Amino acid sequence: MPFQHRTLPVTAFQQNCSLVWDDTTKQAALIDPGGDIDVLLGAVKQLGLTLEQIWLTHAHIDHAGATGTLARTLGLPIIGPHEGDQFWIDALPQQSQMFGFPPAEAFTPTRWLHDGDTVRIGQCELQVRHCPGHTPGHVVFYEPTTKHAFVGDVLFAGSIGRTDFPQGDFDTLVDSITSRLWPLGDDVRFTPGHGPQSSFGQERRSNPFVGGT
Ligand SMILES: [Zn+2]
Ligand SMILES: [Zn+2]
C-alpha cells in the first residue's frame, strides 16, 4: 500500500502533527503543522519526501500555528479546514500570545473543505468528513486503503474534544462522531490530535462519552 504516515508531536501541547505521503512518488502533506517547523522539515528530509501540501483539521493554535510561515516560505497550498473556522484563523495572533507560542502568521486557506470532499497526495486519496462540535469548521481525513483516520480534536482514546469554546457544542460533537465516524467501521484506526492511537471499535465499546452509541 503506497499510503504511509508518521506522527510528529509538536508544541508544548504535544499535538500529533501527521506527516502523510505516497511511498511510490514520495509526495507528502502535513496534517496540522502547529509548530516546531525544524522537527517537521527534519522528518521530511530524513524520509526523502517532497512536501507539497498542508491540510488542516481545525484552526486552533497547536494545530495551525506554523501554517502561515510554512506556506509562505515553501509556497505550499493550505487545504482546509471548513470555513466555519474562519474566526479561529482570524484569532491565531491572539491565540499565540495567550498560550506563549511563537507569533502565528495570518493566512487564507487555498481551499475550504466540505463533507464528502476528497484530498489527494500523489496517488493517495483521502475522504473528508465535516465533524463540527469542538470547532464549527473541524474536518477529519480518512484513508480507505489502510482504514486510517486523522481526527484532530474530535475524538481521543478514552475521551472527546472540548466543547466549551465559542461555537463549541457537546451534542453536535457527539452527533459528528456517531453519524460521520462510526459508519466508517469498527476496524478503522485513528490518530487523534493528542495522545495515543485507538480504533473506532475500541471507542465505541469503552469511551465514556460515546461508548454504546
Ligand atoms: Zn482543538
Ligand atoms: Zn488540539
Side-chain angles (χ1 to χ4, degrees), residues 58 60 62-63 134-135 138 153 165 194:
H58 67 299
H60 280 159
D62 51 325
H63 295 255
H134 175 69
T135 69
H138 201 303
D153 288 351
F165 296 114
H194 308 266

Side-chain angles (χ1 to χ4, degrees), residues 137-190:
H138 201 303
V139 296
V140 161
F141 301 99
Y142 173 62
E143 203 290 314
T145 71
T146 54
K147 294 196 166 235
H148 196 93
F150 302 88
V151 305
D153 288 351
V154 169
L155 178 68
F156 304 108
S159 189
I160 63 173
R162 286 174 58 176
T163 54
D164 56 337
F165 296 114
Q167 297 188 45
D169 184 72
F170 180 84
D171 292 339
T172 303
L173 181 59
V174 170
D175 185 63
S176 289
I177 294 167
T178 57
S179 70
R180 301 244 162 99
L181 298 186
W182 288 173
L184 295 172
D186 282 351
D187 54 343
V188 172
R189 290 196 62 77
F190 68 93

Side-chain angles (χ1 to χ4, degrees), residues 11-206:
T11 81
F13 293 179
Q14 290 291 289
Q15 191 275 120
N16 289 328
C17 175
S18 285
L19 178 59
V20 302
W21 69 97
D22 178 333
D23 209 38
T24 312
T25 67
K26 305 295 181 189
Q27 293 164 284
L30 281 169
I31 302 177
D32 289 355
D36 298 340
I37 288 175
D38 292 353
V39 171
L40 302 179
L41 296 184
V44 168
K45 189 175 177 197
Q46 183 216 337
L47 291 160
L49 305 175
T50 305
L51 182 59
E52 297 192 339
Q53 300 176 39
I54 295 169
W55 300 346
L56 296 178
T57 64
H58 67 299
H60 280 159
I61 184 71
D62 51 325
H63 295 255
T67 299
T69 302
L70 269 175
R72 177 178 56 77
T73 55
L74 301 177
L76 305 176
I78 302 165
I79 315 294
H82 176 286
E83 58 260 50
D85 268 23
Q86 177 72 63
F87 75 103
W88 279 118
I89 295 175
D90 295 340
L92 279 169
Q94 295 97 294
Q95 291 188 63
S96 60
Q97 272 187 352
M98 192 183 309
F99 293 108
F101 277 50
E105 284 187 43
F107 62 86
T108 304
T110 315
R111 177 187 164 200
W112 295 113
L113 291 174
H114 303 102
D115 194 61
D117 281 355
T118 57
V119 291
R120 177 176 277 270
I121 188 70
Q123 298 298 310
C124 301
E125 192 173 82
L126 284 80
Q127 301 170 5
V128 174
R129 295 283 183 277
H130 182 210
C131 293
H134 175 69
T135 69
H138 201 303
V139 296
V140 161
F141 301 99
Y142 173 62
E143 203 290 314
T145 71
T146 54
K147 294 196 166 235
H148 196 93
F150 302 88
V151 305
D153 288 351
V154 169
L155 178 68
F156 304 108
S159 189
I160 63 173
R162 286 174 58 176
T163 54
D164 56 337
F165 296 114
Q167 297 188 45
D169 184 72
F170 180 84
D171 292 339
T172 303
L173 181 59
V174 170
D175 185 63
S176 289
I177 294 167
T178 57
S179 70
R180 301 244 162 99
L181 298 186
W182 288 173
L184 295 172
D186 282 351
D187 54 343
V188 172
R189 290 196 62 77
F190 68 93
T191 302
H194 308 266
Q197 296 187 10
S198 180
S199 70
F200 289 168
Q202 174 69 32
E203 298 314 307
R204 259 184 123 146
R205 282 190 296 276
S206 65

